[in-house]
Amino acid sequence: MADYYVSTQNLSVGYHKKTVLENITIGVNRGEILTLIGPNGAGKSTILKSLAGQLRLLAGTVYIDREALSLIDKNALSQKLAVVFTQRLRTELMTCRDVVATGRYPYTGRFGILSAKDWCKVEEAMALIQITAFADEDFTKISDGQRQRVMLARAICQEPDIILLDEPTSHLDMKHKLEFLQLLQNMAREKKLSVIMSLHELDLAKKVSDKIMCVGTHSVERFGTPQEIFEEHYIRTLFGVTTGSFDERTCGMELEAPKGKPEVFVLAGAASGQDTFRSLQRKGIAFATGILFENDMDYPVAKALAAETVSVGALEHIGQERLRRAQELAASCKRIICCRSSFAPWEPENRVLYEGLKAYQSSLFT
């Protein structure tokens, strides 16, 4: 544990002496981003509130820079650790600038008066998060997404070593999600800020995190790098996915595949078929497709939605057996959709498939 800036030992957390999760082990270095993922209600927020000292630990110890959290003076702790949680603040008659300025209170002394330096920090934080344009608006009258950005500016203004965030992107649009997480990554990298947060967007968690903790319904199941966590089938098991599919490699989700015998054969590949696959799924039309290389961008979608996919490994020769199977499937379908007409030198079988379908079943072509 001594090697980490933030760590836990034999940690158990919960409410009203009722244990939610136990034996939690966390280790985060300076400059690292740890993301908690898992189903709703599993205990991610409970862990974060416990790390912040907002909930009494049921067992174990939280360490910050080798010092027990319980032994750190409150003012000293507020200079080390900032939180961006979902609870509402009492902000009657406060502007956004006023809310951001509360992040400087750990530095103001007993009278809470901000100096010129403090106000400079406030303005810098607002400019960094791009909220200066509505700095003088009533905090209670702005959008949820704007509030989230104000709270991040407040945390940054605090100049912490650690920042805890509970679902910080939940009210942000795509533009501000990306900007928000890029900012956290830059701060972690440049200021050696330790970031611990929960996220529901698994694709973003996989991209931004140095480490991921998987919080299951009864325990912390895994702790490791994104490469270690996003193994085939595991995420579906963690979230109990029973409808549709999830691909751990791409973090892509698809709805259920249409039922029944394929009515349409789709000649796809080279990332040409995804829109067609999804269009057929929306119409409830079962289809088959091929011949796809398994490193093709079409393959994960086809695997999820097609009744049958004729495929071959990334560097494998297609061969006559797969060509014949694709021809059989196409011949049994009522309609053929060709998403491409040019083929790479290493896939002559797809060229043969295309030419054969065009010559003998041109009336079925789309």
Side-chain angles (χ1 to χ4, degrees), residues 96-276:
C96 297
R97 179 180 279 103
D98 294 333
V99 173
V100 175
T102 62
R104 293 305 299 171
Y105 286 168
Y107 302 92
T108 59
R110 63 189 302 178
F111 297 110
I113 299 174
L114 273 65
S115 66
K117 178 183 176 181
D118 291 323
W119 283 112
C120 283
K121 295 291 183 182
V122 171
E123 297 299 325
E124 288 173 6
M126 290 193 300
L128 188 63
I129 307 300
Q130 300 179 14
I131 62 170
T132 306
F134 54 89
D136 295 318
E137 293 186 27
D138 187 330
F139 181 75
T140 63
K141 295 180 180 179
I142 60 176
S143 71
D144 286 340
Q146 289 173 322
R147 286 195 194 102
Q148 196 78 329
R149 291 161 62 195
V150 170
M151 295 306 294
L152 179 60
R154 174 179 179 262
I156 290 171
C157 190
Q158 202 170 323
E159 296 186 293
D161 297 319
I162 309 155
I163 186 168
L164 306 179
L165 308 101
D166 192 7
E167 299 180 25
T169 59
S170 58
H171 297 298
L172 301 180
D173 59 30
M174 180 177 67
K175 174 181 184 293
H176 290 110
K177 282 181 196 287
L178 294 172
E179 289 179 354
F180 190 101
L181 293 177
Q182 185 64 65
L183 178 63
L184 284 180
Q185 190 179 70
N186 291 345
M187 291 178 64
R189 184 187 303 130
E190 296 166 11
K191 298 181 181 295
K192 297 301 179 184
L193 178 71
S194 298
V195 177
I196 304 176
M197 63 179 168
S198 62
L199 282 181
H200 280 304
E201 298 92 338
L202 298 181
D203 55 336
L204 296 179
K206 186 176 183 180
K207 292 176 175 69
V208 76
S209 308
D210 296 294
K211 295 175 180 174
I212 292 177
M213 173 183 283
C214 300
V215 184
T217 52
H218 301 293
S219 65
V220 172
E221 295 187 359
R222 293 191 183 187
F223 185 98
T225 65
Q227 293 81 3
E228 293 168 335
I229 297 301
F230 283 84
E231 294 180 346
E232 188 173 7
H233 303 307
Y234 172 66
I235 297 297
R236 281 172 279 182
T237 302
L238 173 66
F239 283 88
V241 175
T242 57
T243 301
S245 63
F246 176 83
D247 185 88
E248 280 83 0
R249 293 179 303 166
T250 64
C251 290
M253 293 183 287
E254 301 293 341
L255 300 178
E256 285 188 338
K259 307 295 184 184
K261 183 181 177 182
E263 299 178 34
V264 176
F265 182 83
V266 183
L267 199 164
S272 65
Q274 298 170 65
D275 290 342
T276 299

Side-chain angles (χ1 to χ4, degrees), residues 277-292:
F277 300 157
R278 292 181 178 126
S279 176
L280 291 168
Q281 188 277 338
R282 287 193 293 272
K283 296 172 183 176
I285 299 172
F287 67 92
T289 187
I291 305 165
L292 300 179

